[in-house]
Amino acid sequence: MSLQTLIIRYTVFAVIATFMNLFFQRMILLIDNSFPYFITAVAVGTLVGLVVKYYLDKRWIFLIIKRVCITIAVNLVCMLRWGFSQRPSFGDLKLYFG
């Protein structure tokens, strides 16, 4: 995934989470506009926004990053195994260090 795609996804997901947050706050404040309902609206809206953002990031961002990390780890292990299997013998070291 390119950096531009990642930035676009993060931006779109943040807008969706913000919209859901404000939507749920507005729905609760339509019931009543008193202070306890205001606190409840802020708490519920924040919770909904966090859950939505978590789900979207988990599904579309971190799954891809996890795959990239696994690929890097597999390649690193292969390079290390290849490097250790190709180590020089002591006779070769005499050529390097005289």
XYZ file of all heavy atoms in Angstrom:
806
model
N 0.853 -1.172 0.000
C 0.000 0.000 0.000
C 0.896 1.231 0.000
O 1.842 1.317 0.766
C -0.898 -0.026 1.233
C -1.701 1.212 1.403
S -2.889 1.277 2.754
C -2.466 0.006 3.844
N 0.581 2.176 -0.847
C 1.398 3.375 -0.936
C 1.067 4.324 0.216
O 0.027 4.214 0.874
C 1.155 4.079 -2.271
O -0.152 4.633 -2.291
N 1.962 5.255 0.445
C 1.768 6.234 1.511
C 0.539 7.088 1.233
O -0.234 7.401 2.159
C 3.016 7.116 1.640
C 2.966 8.186 2.719
C 2.793 7.548 4.095
C 4.206 9.043 2.672
N 0.307 7.436 -0.007
C -0.854 8.248 -0.371
C -2.160 7.502 -0.064
O -3.090 8.082 0.484
C -0.795 8.620 -1.849
C -1.924 9.524 -2.286
C -1.811 9.903 -3.751
O -0.953 9.401 -4.467
N -2.665 10.788 -4.196
N -2.223 6.229 -0.382
C -3.409 5.424 -0.080
C -3.634 5.339 1.421
O -4.767 5.453 1.894
C -3.264 4.011 -0.665
O -3.006 4.115 -2.063
C -4.507 3.187 -0.437
N -2.549 5.158 2.168
C -2.649 5.088 3.621
C -3.189 6.392 4.203
O -4.083 6.384 5.058
C -1.280 4.760 4.212
C -1.211 4.515 5.707
C -1.995 3.260 6.070
C 0.229 4.391 6.150
N -2.698 7.518 3.723
C -3.155 8.820 4.204
C -4.625 9.038 3.864
O -5.407 9.509 4.698
C -2.277 9.947 3.624
C -0.875 9.876 4.228
C -2.892 11.310 3.863
C 0.136 10.792 3.576
N -5.013 8.667 2.663
C -6.417 8.821 2.256
C -7.320 7.959 3.134
O -8.371 8.412 3.599
C -6.590 8.484 0.763
C -5.932 9.570 -0.088
C -8.066 8.326 0.398
C -5.844 9.238 -1.560
N -6.908 6.710 3.373
C -7.726 5.828 4.209
C -7.852 6.371 5.629
O -8.947 6.381 6.199
C -7.141 4.425 4.240
C -7.404 3.653 2.981
C -6.929 2.238 3.105
N -7.176 1.512 1.863
C -6.878 0.254 1.690
N -6.314 -0.441 2.645
N -7.142 -0.336 0.541
N -6.740 6.790 6.212
C -6.796 7.352 7.561
C -7.738 8.552 7.616
O -8.522 8.702 8.547
C -5.405 7.784 8.033
C -4.659 6.745 8.810
C -3.420 6.299 8.380
C -5.174 6.203 9.982
C -2.717 5.339 9.083
C -4.484 5.248 10.690
C -3.256 4.817 10.244
O -2.566 3.869 10.937
N -7.663 9.416 6.607
C -8.513 10.607 6.575
C -9.984 10.236 6.451
O -10.832 10.757 7.191
C -8.089 11.522 5.410
O -6.693 11.827 5.545
C -8.888 12.796 5.403
N -10.291 9.342 5.538
C -11.688 8.924 5.343
C -12.221 8.249 6.611
O -13.352 8.519 7.041
C -11.818 8.001 4.115
C -13.189 7.348 4.052
C -11.537 8.780 2.843
N -11.425 7.393 7.237
C -11.870 6.709 8.452
C -12.071 7.687 9.593
O -12.999 7.537 10.398
C -10.884 5.624 8.848
C -10.767 4.504 7.840
C -9.689 3.654 7.860
C -11.728 4.320 6.865
C -9.575 2.632 6.936
C -11.631 3.301 5.930
C -10.546 2.453 5.966
N -11.226 8.707 9.685
C -11.396 9.723 10.727
C -12.683 10.515 10.507
O -13.412 10.810 11.464
C -10.194 10.660 10.755
N -12.987 10.827 9.257
C -14.231 11.546 8.951
C -15.443 10.686 9.287
O -16.422 11.161 9.883
C -14.242 11.987 7.466
C -15.615 12.483 7.049
C -13.187 13.061 7.231
N -15.404 9.412 8.948
C -16.519 8.505 9.261
C -16.713 8.389 10.767
O -17.843 8.472 11.280
C -16.288 7.111 8.628
C -16.377 7.199 7.107
C -17.278 6.088 9.169
C -15.931 5.936 6.393
N -15.617 8.212 11.516
C -15.710 8.091 12.976
C -16.241 9.380 13.595
O -17.061 9.342 14.521
C -14.340 7.735 13.568
N -15.800 10.528 13.089
C -16.287 11.817 13.596
C -17.773 11.979 13.308
O -18.536 12.431 14.176
C -15.483 12.972 12.967
O -14.104 12.792 13.267
C -15.951 14.308 13.490
N -18.188 11.615 12.115
C -19.605 11.701 11.769
C -20.454 10.819 12.694
O -21.505 11.248 13.182
C -19.829 11.304 10.309
C -21.269 11.240 9.936
C -21.992 12.391 9.700
C -21.924 10.012 9.834
C -23.337 12.341 9.368
C -23.260 9.947 9.512
C -23.972 11.112 9.278
N -20.007 9.588 12.924
C -20.755 8.692 13.806
C -20.820 9.248 15.227
O -21.856 9.172 15.892
C -20.130 7.296 13.804
C -20.212 6.590 12.478
S -21.908 6.340 11.909
C -22.466 5.133 13.077
N -19.708 9.809 15.704
C -19.665 10.420 17.022
C -20.716 11.528 17.126
O -21.550 11.533 18.045
C -18.254 10.977 17.262
C -18.095 11.649 18.605
O -19.056 11.962 19.296
N -16.868 11.895 18.973
N -20.693 12.456 16.185
C -21.627 13.587 16.221
C -23.071 13.144 16.010
O -23.998 13.702 16.611
C -21.219 14.620 15.170
C -19.863 15.293 15.419
C -19.502 16.192 14.247
C -19.868 16.058 16.726
N -23.279 12.142 15.169
C -24.631 11.635 14.930
C -25.238 11.079 16.217
O -26.376 11.399 16.572
C -24.600 10.562 13.838
C -25.923 9.905 13.605
C -26.911 10.561 12.894
C -26.186 8.635 14.098
C -28.143 9.961 12.678
C -27.405 8.029 13.884
C -28.393 8.692 13.174
N -24.482 10.237 16.931
C -25.016 9.665 18.163
C -25.192 10.722 19.247
O -26.142 10.653 20.035
C -24.128 8.511 18.649
C -24.472 7.207 18.003
C -23.916 6.852 16.787
C -25.378 6.340 18.595
C -24.252 5.659 16.178
C -25.719 5.141 17.989
C -25.159 4.802 16.774
N -24.308 11.690 19.291
C -24.493 12.779 20.254
C -25.788 13.531 19.960
O -26.564 13.823 20.880
C -23.312 13.752 20.214
C -22.068 13.229 20.862
C -20.957 14.261 20.865
O -21.184 15.448 20.657
N -19.737 13.807 21.097
N -26.020 13.827 18.695
C -27.226 14.571 18.316
C -28.484 13.762 18.613
O -29.478 14.306 19.088
C -27.159 14.925 16.827
C -28.326 15.724 16.309
C -28.588 17.016 17.040
N -27.410 17.852 17.075
C -27.242 18.882 17.906
N -28.175 19.190 18.776
N -26.150 19.586 17.885
N -28.457 12.455 18.371
C -29.627 11.620 18.649
C -29.965 11.624 20.144
O -31.139 11.686 20.519
C -29.394 10.174 18.171
C -29.359 9.992 16.678
S -30.930 10.439 15.907
C -30.498 11.949 15.079
N -28.960 11.568 20.986
C -29.215 11.576 22.427
C -29.684 12.958 22.883
O -30.588 13.082 23.710
C -27.959 11.114 23.200
C -27.721 9.634 22.916
C -28.102 11.366 24.698
C -26.441 9.078 23.481
N -29.101 14.004 22.318
C -29.512 15.354 22.719
C -30.894 15.725 22.192
O -31.509 16.664 22.704
C -28.470 16.376 22.256
C -27.147 16.341 23.024
C -26.152 17.304 22.413
C -27.366 16.635 24.501
N -31.400 15.008 21.196
C -32.781 15.239 20.744
C -33.790 14.757 21.792
O -34.905 15.272 21.857
C -33.029 14.540 19.408
C -32.434 15.204 18.175
C -32.681 14.346 16.943
C -32.988 16.596 17.971
N -33.393 13.789 22.586
C -34.267 13.289 23.646
C -34.457 14.372 24.698
O -35.579 14.695 25.095
C -33.684 12.005 24.278
C -33.617 10.903 23.221
C -34.526 11.566 25.476
C -32.829 9.684 23.669
N -33.345 14.897 25.178
C -33.384 15.962 26.184
C -32.067 16.718 26.116
O -31.036 16.161 25.767
C -33.587 15.364 27.581
C -33.897 16.421 28.632
O -34.120 17.588 28.242
O -33.907 16.079 29.829
N -32.120 17.996 26.458
C -30.941 18.844 26.352
C -30.364 19.201 27.721
O -29.643 20.171 27.854
C -31.297 20.117 25.579
C -30.111 20.701 24.859
O -29.059 20.081 24.790
N -30.273 21.893 24.326
N -30.675 18.402 28.746
C -30.184 18.689 30.092
C -28.739 18.210 30.252
O -28.191 17.501 29.408
C -31.081 18.020 31.132
O -31.010 16.622 30.993
N -28.112 18.602 31.369
C -26.703 18.293 31.603
C -26.429 16.787 31.661
O -25.459 16.331 31.050
C -26.219 18.979 32.885
C -24.762 18.790 33.132
C -23.821 19.426 32.348
C -24.323 17.947 34.138
C -22.463 19.244 32.553
C -22.977 17.748 34.365
C -22.044 18.407 33.568
N -27.248 15.975 32.355
C -26.969 14.529 32.359
C -27.029 13.902 30.951
O -26.218 13.027 30.618
C -28.051 13.936 33.254
C -28.474 15.059 34.128
C -28.315 16.293 33.292
N -27.949 14.374 30.141
C -28.028 13.858 28.769
C -26.834 14.340 27.936
O -26.368 13.632 27.048
C -29.342 14.272 28.102
C -30.487 13.369 28.483
C -31.279 13.637 29.602
C -30.779 12.234 27.737
C -32.317 12.807 29.962
C -31.822 11.392 28.080
C -32.588 11.680 29.199
O -33.608 10.847 29.550
N -26.356 15.545 28.246
C -25.174 16.046 27.548
C -23.961 15.166 27.852
O -23.225 14.780 26.942
C -24.893 17.500 27.965
C -23.607 18.030 27.405
C -23.519 18.404 26.074
C -22.482 18.148 28.209
C -22.324 18.877 25.555
C -21.292 18.628 27.699
C -21.210 18.998 26.371
N -23.765 14.835 29.123
C -22.646 13.973 29.511
C -22.792 12.593 28.861
O -21.824 12.022 28.347
C -22.562 13.843 31.046
C -22.278 15.202 31.673
C -21.518 12.826 31.465
C -20.950 15.801 31.293
N -24.005 12.069 28.875
C -24.270 10.771 28.254
C -24.001 10.831 26.747
O -23.408 9.905 26.174
C -25.719 10.328 28.511
O -25.956 10.324 29.912
C -25.999 8.965 27.923
N -24.427 11.919 26.110
C -24.219 12.067 24.663
C -22.738 12.105 24.326
O -22.296 11.452 23.372
C -24.909 13.335 24.167
N -21.965 12.835 25.123
C -20.522 12.906 24.869
C -19.882 11.534 25.070
O -19.059 11.091 24.257
C -19.864 13.971 25.780
C -18.349 13.883 25.709
C -20.338 15.363 25.392
N -20.260 10.838 26.127
C -19.677 9.521 26.413
C -20.043 8.510 25.324
O -19.171 7.787 24.815
C -20.127 9.026 27.784
N -21.321 8.442 24.968
C -21.763 7.474 23.960
C -21.175 7.812 22.588
O -20.696 6.932 21.869
C -23.310 7.413 23.903
C -23.784 6.622 22.696
C -23.854 6.819 25.182
N -21.182 9.095 22.226
C -20.620 9.500 20.945
C -19.143 9.170 20.836
O -18.676 8.669 19.812
N -18.409 9.439 21.915
C -16.981 9.126 21.920
C -16.754 7.625 21.804
O -15.895 7.172 21.033
C -16.322 9.665 23.206
O -16.531 11.076 23.261
C -14.842 9.360 23.238
N -17.514 6.853 22.550
C -17.370 5.404 22.506
C -17.684 4.857 21.109
O -16.929 4.032 20.578
C -18.269 4.747 23.552
C -18.145 3.239 23.672
C -16.745 2.873 24.158
C -19.186 2.712 24.635
N -18.758 5.328 20.511
C -19.126 4.869 19.165
C -18.042 5.258 18.161
O -17.630 4.444 17.323
C -20.496 5.436 18.748
C -20.757 5.226 17.265
C -21.606 4.807 19.567
N -17.542 6.490 18.253
C -16.481 6.924 17.350
C -15.224 6.079 17.486
O -14.600 5.707 16.490
N -14.851 5.768 18.722
C -13.664 4.940 18.951
C -13.845 3.524 18.400
O -12.931 2.970 17.788
C -13.344 4.877 20.441
C -12.711 6.128 21.036
C -12.609 5.994 22.551
C -11.359 6.387 20.442
N -15.009 2.945 18.626
C -15.260 1.581 18.149
C -15.260 1.542 16.619
O -14.669 0.644 16.012
C -16.593 1.042 18.730
C -17.012 -0.236 18.031
C -16.469 0.835 20.230
N -15.897 2.513 15.999
C -15.932 2.563 14.530
C -14.520 2.729 13.973
O -14.112 2.020 13.045
C -16.857 3.704 14.043
C -16.667 3.975 12.562
C -18.306 3.372 14.350
N -13.744 3.659 14.536
C -12.371 3.894 14.061
C -11.506 2.663 14.292
O -10.700 2.276 13.427
C -11.774 5.103 14.789
C -10.391 5.494 14.325
C -10.446 6.188 12.981
C -9.153 6.893 12.653
N -8.096 6.041 12.193
N -11.664 2.009 15.439
C -10.894 0.796 15.728
C -11.201 -0.288 14.699
O -10.301 -0.923 14.159
C -11.203 0.294 17.134
C -10.615 -1.057 17.432
C -9.269 -1.191 17.747
C -11.394 -2.206 17.377
C -8.716 -2.433 18.004
C -10.849 -3.455 17.632
C -9.517 -3.560 17.951
O -8.981 -4.788 18.193
N -12.490 -0.510 14.433
C -12.869 -1.550 13.485
C -12.329 -1.244 12.088
O -11.773 -2.127 11.422
C -14.392 -1.706 13.427
C -14.816 -2.669 12.351
C -14.652 -4.038 12.514
C -15.326 -2.211 11.140
C -15.005 -4.929 11.514
C -15.678 -3.086 10.133
C -15.516 -4.448 10.324
O -15.854 -5.314 9.329
N -12.491 -0.010 11.629
C -12.019 0.340 10.287
C -10.503 0.217 10.184
O -9.982 -0.317 9.194
C -12.458 1.766 9.933
C -13.959 1.953 9.701
C -14.287 3.429 9.553
C -14.435 1.177 8.501
N -9.782 0.708 11.207
C -8.320 0.593 11.185
C -7.883 -0.866 11.232
O -6.963 -1.272 10.521
C -7.702 1.352 12.357
C -7.678 2.848 12.124
O -7.988 3.285 11.003
O -7.354 3.587 13.076
N -8.549 -1.646 12.066
C -8.183 -3.058 12.181
C -8.408 -3.783 10.862
O -7.591 -4.601 10.441
C -8.994 -3.707 13.297
C -8.677 -5.162 13.509
C -9.541 -5.753 14.599
C -9.310 -7.232 14.708
N -10.227 -7.859 15.646
N -9.498 -3.481 10.223
C -9.875 -4.192 8.995
C -9.067 -3.735 7.782
O -8.671 -4.538 6.954
C -11.375 -3.980 8.738
C -11.891 -4.533 7.435
C -11.873 -6.053 7.425
N -12.503 -6.583 6.247
C -11.845 -6.926 5.146
N -10.567 -6.779 5.077
N -12.492 -7.408 4.118
N -8.817 -2.429 7.650
C -8.256 -1.900 6.412
C -6.829 -1.373 6.530
O -6.178 -1.165 5.510
C -9.140 -0.778 5.868
C -10.477 -1.283 5.487
C -11.634 -1.158 6.197
C -10.823 -2.029 4.323
N -12.666 -1.765 5.546
C -12.197 -2.309 4.378
C -10.092 -2.473 3.232
C -12.851 -3.019 3.383
C -10.755 -3.176 2.246
C -12.112 -3.442 2.325
N -6.334 -1.134 7.732
C -4.990 -0.579 7.886
C -4.051 -1.612 8.487
O -3.049 -1.991 7.893
C -4.997 0.688 8.766
C -5.919 1.757 8.201
C -3.573 1.213 8.959
C -5.483 2.366 6.904
N -4.364 -2.082 9.694
C -3.415 -2.915 10.420
C -3.304 -4.323 9.852
O -2.270 -4.945 9.990
C -3.771 -2.966 11.907
C -3.645 -1.623 12.547
C -4.723 -1.014 13.148
C -2.437 -0.953 12.533
C -4.596 0.228 13.728
C -2.294 0.282 13.108
C -3.384 0.882 13.714
N -4.321 -4.822 9.195
C -4.233 -6.126 8.546
C -3.170 -6.078 7.449
O -2.360 -6.988 7.316
C -5.587 -6.534 7.971
C -5.631 -7.891 7.283
C -5.347 -8.994 8.307
C -6.973 -8.116 6.643
N -3.153 -4.994 6.714
C -2.175 -4.837 5.643
C -0.781 -4.643 6.231
O 0.189 -5.230 5.766
C -2.575 -3.657 4.735
C -3.877 -4.013 3.997
C -1.467 -3.326 3.746
C -4.546 -2.864 3.313
N -0.676 -3.827 7.287
C 0.618 -3.606 7.936
C 1.127 -4.908 8.538
O 2.323 -5.208 8.462
C 0.502 -2.491 8.996
C 0.246 -1.153 8.301
C 1.752 -2.423 9.852
C -0.042 -0.017 9.231
N 0.234 -5.719 9.095
C 0.626 -7.009 9.661
C 1.193 -7.913 8.568
O 2.206 -8.577 8.766
C -0.575 -7.662 10.331
C -0.276 -8.991 10.966
C -1.530 -9.562 11.609
C -1.291 -10.939 12.165
N -2.505 -11.522 12.726
N 0.564 -7.927 7.407
C 1.065 -8.741 6.296
C 2.447 -8.280 5.863
O 3.320 -9.091 5.568
C 0.101 -8.668 5.119
C -1.178 -9.429 5.331
C -2.077 -9.318 4.129
N -3.374 -9.886 4.413
C -4.465 -9.589 3.739
N -4.410 -8.749 2.735
N -5.613 -10.140 4.061
N 2.646 -6.977 5.827
C 3.953 -6.441 5.440
C 5.005 -6.842 6.462
O 6.116 -7.256 6.104
C 3.877 -4.908 5.285
C 5.263 -4.302 5.138
C 3.002 -4.538 4.091
N 4.676 -6.748 7.756
C 5.627 -7.134 8.798
C 5.973 -8.617 8.724
O 7.132 -8.999 8.902
C 5.058 -6.799 10.183
S 4.993 -5.038 10.504
N 4.985 -9.452 8.452
C 5.246 -10.892 8.316
C 6.161 -11.147 7.122
O 7.100 -11.939 7.204
C 3.918 -11.672 8.191
C 3.182 -11.661 9.539
C 4.163 -13.093 7.718
C 1.785 -12.223 9.469
N 5.923 -10.465 6.021
C 6.766 -10.628 4.843
C 8.203 -10.209 5.137
O 9.153 -10.907 4.757
C 6.201 -9.794 3.672
O 4.856 -10.206 3.426
C 7.036 -9.960 2.423
N 8.370 -9.091 5.828
C 9.715 -8.628 6.189
C 10.393 -9.639 7.102
O 11.574 -9.955 6.931
C 9.642 -7.234 6.836
C 9.239 -6.196 5.788
C 10.976 -6.858 7.481
C 8.936 -4.831 6.353
N 9.659 -10.164 8.076
C 10.242 -11.133 9.010
C 10.671 -12.408 8.289
O 11.754 -12.943 8.555
C 9.245 -11.458 10.113
N 9.848 -12.900 7.394
C 10.195 -14.110 6.638
C 11.436 -13.867 5.789
O 12.348 -14.699 5.744
C 8.995 -14.561 5.776
C 9.426 -15.607 4.758
C 7.882 -15.098 6.653
N 11.491 -12.734 5.129
C 12.660 -12.418 4.306
C 13.917 -12.281 5.163
O 14.995 -12.728 4.758
C 12.432 -11.139 3.506
C 11.445 -11.344 2.380
O 11.259 -12.451 1.910
N 10.803 -10.271 1.965
N 13.803 -11.676 6.336
C 14.946 -11.525 7.223
C 15.472 -12.889 7.681
O 16.682 -13.135 7.684
C 14.569 -10.658 8.427
C 15.677 -10.382 9.431
C 16.797 -9.599 8.774
C 15.136 -9.635 10.628
N 14.553 -13.781 8.055
C 14.965 -15.123 8.479
C 15.660 -15.852 7.326
O 16.690 -16.506 7.526
C 13.751 -15.922 9.004
C 14.075 -17.391 9.156
C 13.271 -15.344 10.320
N 15.124 -15.735 6.134
C 15.759 -16.378 4.971
C 17.158 -15.817 4.726
O 18.095 -16.578 4.459
C 14.894 -16.195 3.726
S 13.394 -17.174 3.746
N 17.310 -14.500 4.839
C 18.633 -13.908 4.629
C 19.611 -14.342 5.712
O 20.772 -14.616 5.422
C 18.515 -12.379 4.601
C 17.893 -11.844 3.334
S 17.940 -10.051 3.211
C 16.791 -9.570 4.480
N 19.153 -14.421 6.956
C 20.033 -14.869 8.035
C 20.458 -16.315 7.839
O 21.631 -16.661 8.027
C 19.356 -14.689 9.391
C 19.224 -13.247 9.877
C 18.372 -13.186 11.136
C 20.589 -12.636 10.120
N 19.514 -17.174 7.476
C 19.856 -18.584 7.237
C 20.836 -18.710 6.084
O 21.783 -19.482 6.147
C 18.597 -19.399 6.954
C 17.747 -19.613 8.196
C 16.633 -20.575 7.950
N 17.203 -21.902 7.695
C 16.617 -22.809 6.947
N 15.459 -22.564 6.392
N 17.160 -23.981 6.759
N 20.606 -17.963 5.034
C 21.508 -18.014 3.895
C 22.890 -17.493 4.290
O 23.905 -18.056 3.923
C 20.947 -17.186 2.746
C 21.805 -17.239 1.528
C 21.840 -18.228 0.606
C 22.775 -16.277 1.120
N 22.765 -17.933 -0.370
C 23.360 -16.739 -0.073
C 23.207 -15.064 1.652
C 24.342 -16.036 -0.725
C 24.191 -14.362 0.989
C 24.753 -14.852 -0.193
N 22.914 -16.419 5.062
C 24.186 -15.846 5.492
C 24.979 -16.786 6.374
O 26.202 -16.920 6.216
N 24.304 -17.473 7.308
C 25.020 -18.397 8.177
C 25.458 -19.657 7.432
O 26.475 -20.258 7.754
C 24.174 -18.778 9.393
C 24.124 -17.692 10.425
C 22.912 -17.166 10.818
C 25.284 -17.197 11.002
C 22.852 -16.162 11.771
C 25.248 -16.198 11.947
C 24.025 -15.674 12.337
N 24.699 -20.058 6.439
C 25.098 -21.248 5.688
C 26.262 -20.948 4.745
O 26.958 -21.849 4.325
C 23.914 -21.800 4.895
O 23.568 -20.907 3.855
N 26.498 -19.693 4.446
C 27.573 -19.301 3.536
C 28.761 -18.696 4.277
O 29.556 -17.985 3.694
C 27.043 -18.268 2.524
C 25.905 -18.771 1.679
C 26.310 -19.942 0.811
O 27.394 -19.961 0.258
N 25.433 -20.929 0.700
N 28.875 -18.957 5.585
C 29.972 -18.346 6.357
C 31.323 -18.870 5.868
O 31.444 -20.016 5.428
C 29.785 -18.609 7.837
C 29.922 -20.046 8.242
C 29.659 -20.203 9.734
N 29.812 -21.580 10.130
C 28.854 -22.480 10.114
N 27.662 -22.140 9.711
N 29.089 -23.717 10.493
N 32.329 -18.033 5.957
C 33.644 -18.458 5.468
C 34.288 -19.444 6.432
O 34.011 -19.451 7.624
C 34.435 -17.150 5.424
C 33.769 -16.274 6.424
C 32.318 -16.674 6.409
N 35.154 -20.267 5.904
C 35.902 -21.194 6.745
C 37.127 -20.470 7.295
O 37.445 -19.349 6.905
C 36.328 -22.418 5.937
O 37.248 -22.017 4.939
N 37.846 -21.120 8.207
C 39.026 -20.493 8.787
C 40.104 -20.268 7.731
O 40.880 -19.325 7.807
C 39.569 -21.329 9.946
C 38.679 -21.288 11.150
C 38.011 -22.420 11.576
C 38.507 -20.116 11.858
C 37.187 -22.381 12.670
C 37.683 -20.064 12.955
C 37.024 -21.198 13.384
N 40.168 -21.129 6.741
C 41.141 -20.934 5.666
C 40.868 -19.661 4.890
O 41.787 -18.953 4.493
N 39.597 -19.350 4.684
C 39.240 -18.122 3.994
C 39.607 -16.904 4.823
O 39.981 -15.861 4.283
C 37.750 -18.100 3.691
C 37.344 -19.160 2.674
O 38.228 -19.586 1.903
O 36.174 -19.563 2.679
N 39.503 -17.012 6.148
C 39.852 -15.879 7.014
C 41.331 -15.552 6.933
O 41.720 -14.395 7.051
C 39.460 -16.179 8.457
C 37.952 -16.165 8.754
C 37.704 -16.559 10.200
C 37.346 -14.825 8.458
N 42.192 -16.569 6.714
C 43.617 -16.312 6.576
C 43.896 -15.462 5.336
O 44.819 -14.646 5.318
C 44.398 -17.624 6.488
C 44.454 -18.365 7.793
C 45.242 -19.650 7.624
C 45.238 -20.437 8.902
N 45.919 -21.729 8.759
N 43.093 -15.665 4.299
C 43.264 -14.849 3.100
C 42.940 -13.382 3.377
O 43.585 -12.481 2.845
C 42.366 -15.363 1.976
C 42.676 -16.750 1.423
C 41.598 -17.145 0.401
C 44.048 -16.736 0.765
N 41.933 -13.135 4.217
C 41.529 -11.767 4.519
C 42.507 -11.070 5.457
O 42.774 -9.895 5.320
C 40.131 -11.729 5.137
C 39.050 -12.215 4.223
C 38.138 -13.168 4.632
C 38.927 -11.714 2.931
C 37.141 -13.630 3.808
C 37.932 -12.172 2.079
C 37.040 -13.114 2.535
O 36.062 -13.561 1.699
N 42.986 -11.799 6.478
C 43.788 -11.166 7.519
C 45.262 -11.508 7.431
O 46.018 -11.292 8.357
C 43.243 -11.545 8.894
C 41.840 -11.065 9.101
C 40.786 -11.958 9.167
C 41.577 -9.715 9.200
C 39.501 -11.528 9.367
C 40.279 -9.269 9.389
C 39.235 -10.172 9.453
N 45.686 -12.087 6.339
C 47.086 -12.322 6.086
C 47.640 -13.452 6.830
O 48.675 -13.701 7.174
